[in-house]
Amino acid sequence: MRLQQSCRLMSVLLLAAGLAAAQNTITFEAPGAGTAAGQGTLTQGIDFQGTTFGYFIDGSSVAHGFLRVWNGYFVTFSAPGAGTGAGQGTFASSLNPEGTITGYYIDGNGAMHGYLRNFFGNFTTFEAPGAGGGAGQGTLSANINPEGTVAGYYFDSTGVAHAFVRSRAGSFVTYEAPGAGTGAGQGTGTATTIGLNADGTITGAYIDSNNTLHGYVRAPDGTITSINAPGAGNGPGQGTDTDGLNFAGIIPGVYFDSNNVVHGYVRALNGTFTEFDVPGAGTGAGQGTLPQGLNAEGAVTGSYSDSNSVSHGFVRSPSGVITTFDAPGAGTSAGQGTFPLLNNPEGAITGYEIDSGGVYHGFLRSPKSR
């Protein structure tokens, strides 16, 4: 955002801070990433060692996974069975400390399948029980924890979503949040990347029969507690979503009010909500504040959409101090800008930006820029 200040000195200081931030934010391209609109590099997360991961879309609009270590070295990969047509390929979702990455791939028929890729590059593919095999159906693996447990969701043959947990040994438990709808496009999902704790706690969201969103947290014993932020709307497309949790059980998320404006929140382990809006966030439908990631210290990162529907990055400290930033080269038209997704314990932030031509680029913002 750009705070409006009447003091010239404060404006100069803000400009200097913005330049310092830009000098500590780099952008990067995965080898083979396409350069046309809708193509490029989409970084999804970062671990405590500074390894970033995600996927890129090549010049044929096919997706492939990647890992990028701290010195800029890339490993790219495609899951066995991944389709080679536009909109198909391999999508990376989550990385654990062992170096195992999980995600899903879309085959040549448009169906989704889960996979695990270990540190040595060996793949295991899997299907959740009950997953459909048609286009837009199948298994989406979304999270992996240090124990090697995987959580995600699947779409059945009627298009209803159901959540699952897969043990390291390969056994499945499926579940539904109470109140989840049973129509196409409804049901139970999980958060992505950081939605599964080491102890087996899971967070996610479900869509009810009125197409309203509700967050939830599932304890290791299977007990599910619904999460509804104060101020969340109750209409179709409104309600509460979650973005994951940290080891302390703190949950960041978003809610959509009755006017479809987006607001951020942080939910403490005891269930207390702290709602927030980034200064400069737009107040029109589809605009507002979108938290995405949370680190071990409780700092939240994400994006906000301004009144022109341009996205900018932010990080909110555990004490509530908000810092905003833009990745170098980010576009300034509606739908473009900076989209942070995750921050690590060191305070490094990663995500992607969309440039003026609609191309995606990965970025890494060092903790020095904070």
Side-chain angles (χ1 to χ4, degrees):
M1 66 160 185
R2 295 290 183 267
L3 293 174
Q4 294 181 352
Q5 302 286 348
S6 60
C7 176
R8 182 181 299 273
L9 176 59
M10 184 61 71
S11 298
V12 171
L13 290 174
L14 287 171
L15 177 60
L19 290 173
Q23 291 169 355
N24 288 283
T25 303
I26 64 167
T27 60
F28 55 84
E29 322 298 332
T35 58
Q39 300 173 358
T41 303
L42 293 92
T43 311
Q44 300 296 295
I46 185 169
D47 71 5
F48 67 97
Q49 294 177 322
T51 299
T52 56
F53 62 90
Y55 60 93
F56 67 93
I57 301 174
D58 67 20
S60 298
S61 297
V62 180
H64 310 268
F66 76 83
L67 290 163
R68 178 187 184 273
V69 298
W70 64 270
N71 64 359
Y73 178 76
F74 276 90
V75 174
T76 63
F77 59 89
S78 296
T84 57
Q88 300 170 1
T90 303
F91 301 83
S93 301
S94 188
L95 176 70
N96 78 358
E98 288 185 345
T100 299
I101 194 164
T102 196
Y104 65 95
Y105 67 92
I106 300 177
D107 67 22
N109 295 316
M112 296 170 283
H113 312 268
Y115 75 82
L116 290 162
R117 179 190 183 274
N118 69 14
F119 178 81
F120 302 101
N122 301 315
F123 280 89
T124 300
T125 60
F126 57 88
E127 319 295 335
Q137 301 170 3
T139 303
L140 289 88
S141 184
N143 303 277
I144 184 168
N145 71 7
E147 308 303 317
T149 303
V150 168
Y153 53 102
Y154 67 91
F155 290 96
D156 66 21
S157 60
T158 63
V160 180
H162 313 266
F164 72 83
V165 183
R166 180 187 184 273
S167 73
R168 190 183 188 104
S171 63
F172 280 87
V173 174
T174 62
Y175 65 90
E176 323 291 335
T182 58
Q186 300 171 355
T188 306
T190 68
T192 300
T193 308
I194 57 169
L196 172 65
N197 260 5
D199 66 1
T201 303
I202 303 169
T203 191
Y206 64 93
I207 300 176
D208 68 19
S209 58
N210 294 318
N211 293 314
T212 301
L213 271 168
H214 307 269
Y216 74 84
V217 59
R218 181 182 186 269
D221 65 2
T223 302
I224 295 175
T225 302
S226 291
I227 297 173
N228 293 292
N234 294 312
Q238 300 170 1
T240 304
D241 198 1
T242 67
D243 294 315
L245 74 168
N246 67 6
F247 74 94
I250 299 171
I251 297 172
V254 302
Y255 70 90
F256 301 83
D257 67 21
S258 58
N259 295 313
N260 297 311
V261 181
V262 191
H263 309 269
Y265 72 83
V266 177
R267 179 185 183 271
L269 183 61
N270 65 4
T272 301
F273 282 88
T274 300
E275 302 177 24
F276 67 94
D277 294 296
V278 176
T283 57
Q287 299 172 354
T289 300
L290 292 89
Q292 293 287 343
L294 174 76
N295 69 8
E297 282 68 40
V300 177
T301 193
S303 62
Y304 69 95
S305 177
D306 66 22
S307 59
N308 294 314
S309 297
V310 180
S311 289
H312 311 269
F314 78 86
V315 59
R316 179 185 184 274
S317 74
S319 64
V321 177
I322 294 175
T323 302
T324 63
F325 63 93
D326 293 295
T332 57
S333 296
Q336 299 172 358
T338 303
F339 301 85
L341 293 182
L342 193 61
N343 49 338
N344 72 2
E346 298 298 320
I349 300 171
T350 197
Y352 61 89
E353 51 107 338
I354 302 177
D355 69 19
S356 59
V359 182
Y360 299 94
H361 309 271
F363 78 82
L364 177 62
R365 182 177 189 262
S366 80
K368 293 180 180 179
S369 62
R370 292 181 63 188

